[in-house]
Amino acid sequence: MDRVRRVAGILLQLVDVVEALVAEAVGTGLGLEGIEGRVQGAVQRAAAGIMEVVLEGVDHRLMLERGRGLTVVGKRSRTLLTSFGELQVTRRLYRGEGGQGFFLLDRALKVGARGRVSRRLLGLAVELGCAMPFRQAARALGWMAPALSPMGVWKALREAGEACREEMAGRRRRVFEEGELSSGVRRVRELKVEADSVAVRLQRSEDRWGELKLVVAYEGREKVGGERSERYALKNRWVAAAVATGDAMWEEAGVQFGDRWALDQVDKVWVGGDGAAWVKGGLKWFPRSAFVLDRFHLRRRLLEAVGQDPELHHWVSVALAANSLPQTLEVLRAAARVRQGKARKNVEGLMAYLAANWDGIAGLPARGLTGAIEGQVYHQISRRMKRNGARWSLAGADRMARLLAARANGELDRYLHRPLPVPQTAARPVPLAAAVGANPEELWRVGMPALYGPAAGQLWVKVLRE
């Protein structure tokens, strides 16, 4: 009955807000924006009050249904930040037969002792952080819910990214070390797999640039938007991305693709890319595969080397269309003999590039052509990670790349609302000697979040680091 009275009181407060707003809007000319903001604030406060009533009711029910051996020793309050406001939750503290203290409500809600922000609010932060810089995400979040700081948004993405990385590491271990079979059952005749590297600016590193890798698999292209539409999309696309070596990236991509398609039943796998050694290394991971040189990169190399000479560009294109490497090289050798300096080096570089990747140009059917990777690089990675001024640590770039891939695959939600690990009993203090052991240097193996977060470039952080 007490819960009913409290909820009724909250609703009556909303009625008072409505009446006050009506009078104020007529008397002072309060505009739509002002009314909207006041209503949103009132509704959020009411929702927060109802949430407190619900949680206290859950705590009371848990007290009535508790098992034997649990004694209520008091109540403690804690603050939770949710998507509609800050909550002050009072819950009962229990002590078991072993003397450990814990809260049944915290266990039921799957929140840790230090988890102040709700998983739903963290999920909103991750969604926004995958689309815009952390500072902008925090500002945008403030329009919808109590604002997190840019550091709070960064921490939310770090946690989700680590969950994604750990899941993939476990999947790779089970496949390549424990021999677990892939679970993919989708059967197709052909599968297109394209790969490329993406350079991103680094911070706190001796290197100015870091490299992450993107691998995309799809079954072909299909028209979207109706019969009159001229738009096409990749059919059943799947994206994998990480900061990794070539072999490690193909392992991750192979595991993910194997969980989706029955790879041993695919008649042909076309591996497309710019001709980089790590891209061609993907051929060994797929049965019945062949390499296709990406047309975008081929055109770009042609324009860089002979684009200033329309006649030479024409004859090289004719030789390429004839699938004749000797004819193509002969045309380029003749052009190199009459050029000097950089122009000659560009032509010679094109000759070497074509000779090294001729297996990806000649003798392949039209259906084997790929060419989607550049668009995928832009839409899935570059649009977020290569903004003006964007800089990343290697670990941060890896986490963001994995989250962007999960977002493209429609799986980002899997890493947003994972429950925090909750200990079954309260942790007892560990003696310092036991924690340190025989090596006192372990005391100094600590970190300071400010040195690695979004504010790492500010002057006060630089001074602190020094």
Side-chain angles (χ1 to χ4, degrees):
M1 199 63 189
D2 179 62
R3 287 198 294 273
V4 174
R5 286 195 296 269
R6 291 178 61 184
V7 173
I10 294 171
L11 296 179
L12 288 176
Q13 291 177 2
L14 277 178
V15 173
D16 293 340
V17 170
V18 170
E19 294 297 328
L21 275 176
V22 170
E24 186 176 354
V26 174
T28 64
L30 187 64
L32 177 62
E33 182 178 356
I35 295 175
E36 182 181 2
R38 297 276 289 277
V39 170
Q40 180 182 1
V43 171
Q44 286 184 338
R45 288 191 298 272
I50 293 174
M51 186 71 172
E52 290 177 356
V53 174
V54 171
L55 295 181
E56 290 178 10
V58 172
D59 187 61
H60 181 72
R61 176 68 64 86
L62 291 172
M63 185 267 295
L64 296 178
E65 298 178 357
R66 72 185 188 275
R68 295 182 179 180
L70 297 182
T71 304
V72 179
V73 296
K75 292 185 177 182
R76 302 291 186 273
S77 296
R78 70 176 301 177
T79 301
L80 294 176
L81 188 61
T82 70
S83 57
F84 43 70
E86 191 173 74
L87 309 181
Q88 293 294 331
V89 182
T90 301
R91 70 264 198 255
R92 292 170 175 82
L93 174 65
Y94 297 86
R95 196 166 306 281
E97 295 178 350
Q100 301 90 353
F102 53 90
F103 300 93
L104 286 179
L105 183 63
D106 287 1
R107 289 186 181 180
L109 299 179
K110 298 182 175 63
V111 295
R114 298 182 181 180
R116 179 175 178 268
V117 184
S118 74
R119 309 298 291 175
R120 187 172 186 274
L121 184 56
L122 291 176
L124 291 173
V126 172
E127 287 278 5
L128 289 173
C130 284
M132 61 187 71
F134 302 138
R135 195 170 300 279
Q136 293 182 18
R139 185 163 57 248
L141 191 61
W143 286 89
M144 301 178 293
L148 288 176
S149 67
M151 177 64 77
V153 176
W154 174 77
K155 288 180 177 179
L157 278 122
R158 180 185 62 179
E159 180 180 311
E162 279 299 304
C164 187
R165 184 191 62 79
E166 291 172 3
E167 181 183 272
M168 191 64 243
R171 188 73 186 97
R172 284 177 61 196
R173 182 180 63 255
R174 291 192 296 273
V175 171
F176 292 102
E177 296 181 15
E178 301 174 9
E180 182 177 298
L181 297 178
S182 298
S183 58
V185 296
R186 186 174 180 83
R187 297 187 179 186
V188 294
R189 292 187 57 191
E190 292 185 345
L191 188 65
K192 315 289 182 67
V193 178
E194 299 190 50
D196 201 2
S197 300
V198 185
V200 295
R201 290 184 178 274
L202 297 181
Q203 61 179 349
R204 302 186 304 278
S205 173
E206 296 180 356
D207 301 321
R208 294 183 58 189
W209 294 89
E211 182 181 87
L212 61 88
K213 294 178 174 62
L214 177 73
V215 182
V216 180
Y218 59 100
E219 299 172 9
R221 289 175 171 81
E222 58 184 354
K223 182 177 288 189
V224 294
E227 295 182 0
R228 297 184 179 182
S229 173
E230 296 183 358
R231 295 174 55 243
Y232 287 83
L234 302 183
K235 183 179 180 181
N236 292 321
R237 179 202 62 192
W238 196 263
V239 179
V243 175
T245 63
D247 284 345
M249 188 68 248
W250 282 117
E251 282 186 4
E252 292 201 12
V255 168
Q256 295 185 54
F257 301 160
D259 285 341
R260 188 169 180 82
W261 290 283
L263 296 178
D264 58 337
Q265 303 296 321
V266 179
D267 293 338
K268 197 69 174 181
V269 177
W270 303 102
V271 178
D274 60 0
W278 83 269
V279 174
K280 290 184 176 181
L283 295 173
K284 66 183 179 182
W285 296 97
F286 302 101
R288 297 176 291 280
S289 59
F291 174 67
V292 184
L293 184 64
D294 181 65
R295 289 171 291 177
F296 170 84
H297 292 93
L298 176 58
R299 283 195 297 266
R300 186 171 67 180
R301 293 300 290 263
L302 283 173
L303 290 174
E304 289 174 352
V306 301
Q308 302 301 321
D309 188 336
E311 184 177 0
L312 176 58
H313 187 278
H314 168 73
W315 288 113
V316 172
S317 299
V318 169
L320 287 173
N323 273 342
S324 175
L325 178 59
Q327 181 181 344
T328 305
L329 295 181
E330 184 57 35
V331 172
L332 292 173
R333 287 194 193 98
R337 284 194 291 267
V338 298
R339 281 168 167 75
Q340 300 293 329
K342 184 178 180 180
R344 182 172 182 172
K345 289 183 178 179
N346 287 340
V347 174
E348 293 174 345
L350 178 60
M351 294 170 59
Y353 182 75
L354 294 176
N357 294 288
W358 191 254
D359 59 333
I361 300 174
L364 294 176
R367 67 178 183 275
L369 296 177
T370 51
I373 190 62
E374 283 301 313
Q376 293 299 304
V377 165
Y378 172 74
H379 289 292
Q380 312 306 341
I381 300 295
S382 298
R383 188 162 57 178
R384 171 62 180 94
M385 299 188 67
K386 300 191 72 170
R387 293 171 177 267
N388 290 337
R391 295 178 182 273
W392 307 86
S393 66
L394 282 175
D398 180 63
R399 290 191 292 263
M400 179 57 75
R402 294 176 184 278
L403 289 176
L404 292 175
R407 186 177 182 227
N409 297 331
E411 290 204 323
L412 184 59
D413 190 66
R414 291 178 55 189
Y415 311 105
L416 302 187
H417 309 298
R418 289 162 55 109
L420 291 170
V422 181
Q424 294 302 309
T425 58
R428 294 185 177 182
V430 180
L432 180 62
V436 175
N439 185 9
E441 292 182 0
E442 292 295 327
L443 276 174
W444 307 105
R445 298 184 184 274
V446 297
M448 299 184 68
L451 300 182
Y452 310 106
Q458 296 185 12
L459 178 60
W460 69 272
V461 181
K462 294 180 180 178
V463 173
L464 181 61
R465 184 182 297 111
E466 293 176 359

